Amino acid sequence: MKIARFSRLGFILAAAGSAVGLGNIWKFPYITGEYGGGAFVLVYLFTVLLIGFSIMIAEMFIGYMGRKDGVTSFEELAPKNKNLWKLGGFQGLAGLFIMIFYSVVIGWIFNYIVSSLIYLPSSVKEAELTFTTMLHSDFLTQLFYHSVAFLWITYVLTKGIKSGIERLNFYLMPTLILILLGMFIYATTLDSFSKAVEFMFSPDWSKINSEAFVTAVGHAFFTLSLGMGAIMTYSASMEKNSNLVKNAFWVVFLDTTIAIVAGLMLFTFLYQYGSGPAKGPGLVFISLPSAFYEMGILGNFFAVIFFIALAFAGLTSSVSLVEPMVQYFIDRFNWSRLRASVSMGLFFYLFGIVAILSNIDGYEELLTWGDKNFFDWVDYITAAIMLPFGGLIMAIFVGFVIEKQRVEAVLKPQLGFAFEAWYFSLRYITPVAMFIVMLNLMGVV
Ligand code: PHE
């Protein structure tokens, strides 16, 4: 059987499609708001360059060399203790878990695309009411749009690498980039643009504490899709003789640029028409719609295309979150792609319903443990613990376990004199940073 491989551009678009997601457009602006702007952005940029970029190359390397699902790739590349190392591949499960809430959020976005056509809230208060009513009492709307997301994502996965994933990204990514660029250019013409630039780039170091630091590092992982095997699984279908370093550079570059562009644009709108850099997850669902309202009919147009762009970002990331486990069942259990995609889809679909219920009045108490409900627990455990842990495993695996000559043979020609610096970062800087992040997240330091 001929193995389906991404085209050169197809790979970059798909990997960038994985990286550019809700993390860039929804999460990055609101955490930047929460932690006070400039200094936080600098820590994030620094982490992306120093740690994110290194692990991106390492993760691509494992997939590219292994050529199979994550579990098999780890198993084949480990010189010994194969049964232990293959567990590294089960990080793919984190993607399925992330999908439990990711698909629900994409559902909210679908709902906002439709409703913004005719309605925008006239004040932040009203916007808040609209959002919380949906969240806490409108089970059916959430279920409906979550179902649409599930069907779309699963359908694309059944079509495979070429006519499913590559095609989806081929259309959605350029559209997403055009929409954001268009809105960004409009934002640069507004007075408040300079305020947004100042907010994002003039660092106030007094705002940085260990929590902000850890959040920035954790977010660098989440936004680059690292530590769970999405990039690794895609890299297994990379063309032979690809330049991993160049590919990693493009993914990191696109992901970071889009986050910065989205942030600048949103903050400009919020300064110009709204309440300033609002804090919290409600930023795009609460503060932004009421800012759009102030723009009049142009606001409706912007709201609709903005939520379309956000949905596209989410969908292209979703397929990469599920694909590792789909690939696993195909490679290891000989399942058909159809069977694997539908089974994995049903998994996140059904648990997603539980996630919706965990926000609904009356069910919330049943589905809350400690200070978080089911939805928040899944978010926390995956993004805060599983991804950094996965990144740590990959750094150690490529840095210490795989024979150095093997790594050198592929990457030295591509990295040139920077090879040793990269290898050092992978072996020492990354593990130490990841370890601190994990301890902090678990409340130890
Ligand atoms: N990078 C995606 C985002 O920013 C999320 C993601 C994480 C996707 C891990 C794949 C793997 O939204």
Side-chain angles (χ1 to χ4, degrees), residues 379-440:
D379 180 3
Y380 178 78
I381 292 174
T382 51
I385 300 173
M386 294 183 85
L387 296 190
F389 185 68
L392 183 62
I393 305 266
M394 288 173 195
I396 293 177
F397 190 62
V398 178
F400 292 99
V401 179
I402 302 183
E403 303 87 337
K404 188 173 180 189
Q405 305 91 288
R406 238 179 140 182
V407 181
E408 249 173 353
V410 175
L411 290 173
K412 200 152 190 176
Q414 301 180 11
L415 277 160
F417 66 91
F419 178 85
E420 290 300 331
W422 168 77
Y423 203 62
F424 180 84
S425 150
L426 207 60
R427 293 182 89 160
Y428 304 107
I429 303 182
T430 308
V432 170
M434 288 340 298
F435 197 63
I436 296 176
V437 169
M438 275 166 36
L439 289 183
N440 187 293

Side-chain angles (χ1 to χ4, degrees), residues 12-26 102 109 113 168-185 254-259 261-262 265 302 304-318:
I12 294 177
L13 283 180
S18 168
V20 177
L22 304 181
N24 301 59
I25 310 176
W26 166 61
Y102 214 79
I109 299 167
I113 297 177
L168 178 85
N169 281 287
F170 187 75
Y171 290 109
L172 265 49
M173 284 306 285
T175 316
L176 156 80
I177 292 174
L178 279 180
I179 293 178
L180 288 181
L181 263 185
M183 290 179 74
F184 175 73
I185 290 171
L254 283 170
D255 187 73
T256 312
T257 313
I258 290 179
V261 162
M265 169 192 94
F302 271 2
V304 172
I305 61 168
F306 172 78
F307 283 115
I308 289 179
L310 190 53
F312 283 6
L315 287 166
T316 51
S317 298
S318 296

